[in-house]
Structures are given as C-alpha cells and as structure tokens.
Amino acid sequence: MLKLDLFDLERRQTLRVEGRVEVDDDLLEGLPFVYEEPFVVVLNATWAGSGELVVRGGVVGTVSQDCRRCLDRVERQVDVDITLLFAPSDLLEEDDTETYRLEMGVREIDLEPYVRDEVILAIPAFAECRVGCRGLCAGCGENLNETECMCSPGGMDPRWDALRALENK
Ligand SMILES: [Zn+2]
Ligand SMILES: [Zn+2]
C-alpha cells in the first residue's frame, strides 16, 4: 500500500511517498508479464493552487515476458514516469477522463492501484527476445534461433517425402 495522508499533505503542502509494489499482489494476475522483483516507487504529492492534487514520480523495476515468437523468457527493465491528477468533485469537469475524483472528507488515498495501472499501460503486451527472432518451427517446434531443423521452408518435414514417394508407387 502506498498511502498518501491528505491531512499531512495539507500541513506540509508537499509530501514524498515511497514504497514498493509487491510481486505476489493478487491484482497482477492475468497480465502478459511477470514481476521479477518488487517495483520501487518514489512519488511527490503537491497541492496545486487550483485545489487539485498532483502526484509525480517514477517507478523502477524488472518484468519478464515470453518472446511472442520463440517463447523464450525476455527480461525488461521498466522505468515509468508517473503523473496523477486528482480533483475534488466540484472542480471535476464531466468529460475529463484524465483526472481522478477526490472524494470529500477522505483522509488518505492508496496510490498503489493508480501506480499499478500506469505501469501496466507502460509495458507493451508483446515482447521479442531479439530483433529478427526466428521463432519456433511450425512443423517440429524447434527453436530456430538455436538450431536448423529438418523441415523444408514450406513447413513440411522432408522425412515424409520418402514415405509419400513409396505411397505413390
Ligand atoms: Zn524469440
Ligand atoms: Zn522444423
């Protein structure tokens, strides 16, 4: 939980929030990548003059994904800049989809779900292990980055040619 204490913030005008998003968080299920270690989060919250709350900072971590061609594990460094805007309901324009609603009388906000959303948005759904990954052979399933298989470019295994030749006799 990345707690932002709004009363504290009221007093100090600006507040630093630091924390981690843990690897085993339930809400991370079903994502096209896995966290290798907890994300480190550093944020600064400030009241803007207009009554809005601005939260700025960054998230650093490592995720891994399967290469979409050969299914090898690909590790990726993640360094996401984050800007979150909150506004009280009376300042919130109805068609404003960028700004989150700040409920009246709320004492604290858990920034973790917002941060998680930003991280998920920032990570591409697909990874490739290298430029021009050759992927897996559709015929035999070999990783073509590592070996040349016996299949012909058309996808048929030439070993069947001999059999077919026999059948046709
Ligand atoms: Zn690959
Ligand atoms: Zn093959």
Side-chain angles (χ1 to χ4, degrees):
M1 183 157 171
L2 295 167
K3 233 190 290 180
L4 174 59
D5 186 327
L6 294 180
F7 284 12
D8 216 12
L9 178 61
E10 196 72 52
R11 274 206 311 275
R12 303 194 212 181
Q13 288 305 302
T14 175
L15 205 60
R16 195 174 165 91
V17 180
E18 290 179 329
R20 295 145 79 87
V21 176
E22 293 300 327
V23 179
D24 56 0
D25 202 305
D26 287 347
L27 288 163
L28 301 173
E29 272 184 31
L31 295 179
F33 54 84
V34 292
Y35 289 71
E36 287 298 318
E37 56 200 69
F39 275 101
V40 177
V41 185
V42 179
L43 300 168
N44 274 298
T46 318
W47 285 113
S50 49
E52 284 147 334
L53 171 60
V54 186
V55 179
R56 272 214 183 89
V59 179
V60 185
T62 309
V63 295
S64 62
Q65 290 168 285
D66 293 337
C67 170
R68 69 161 151 184
R69 295 183 185 278
C70 71
L71 306 181
D72 256 5
R73 201 32 98 73
V74 187
E75 267 197 13
R76 195 199 289 272
Q77 293 297 317
V78 177
D79 188 348
V80 186
D81 287 330
I82 290 192
T83 303
L84 303 169
L85 271 178
F86 295 86
S89 311
D90 53 334
L91 286 182
L92 204 57
E93 308 272 343
E94 220 161 81
D95 54 356
D96 187 345
T97 52
E98 309 273 288
T99 308
Y100 297 108
R101 180 184 300 271
L102 201 58
E103 300 298 341
M104 291 289 286
V106 169
R107 199 203 147 97
E108 64 180 27
I109 307 177
D110 180 9
L111 295 173
E112 194 172 308
Y114 302 99
V115 167
R116 188 184 299 116
D117 284 354
E118 297 288 316
V119 170
I120 290 168
L121 276 179
I123 299 174
F126 299 107
E128 274 181 30
C129 63
R130 68 195 88 187
V131 176
C133 169
R134 299 178 66 205
L136 301 178
C137 172
C140 66
E142 287 284 358
N143 185 336
L144 298 178
N145 298 309
E146 288 161 12
T147 77
E148 292 289 338
C149 67
M150 297 296 288
C151 305
S152 61
M156 286 297 265
D157 189 325
R159 284 171 291 190
W160 293 107
D161 287 351
L163 269 179
R164 255 192 314 259
L166 281 176
E167 274 173 5
N168 292 339
K169 267 187 185 156

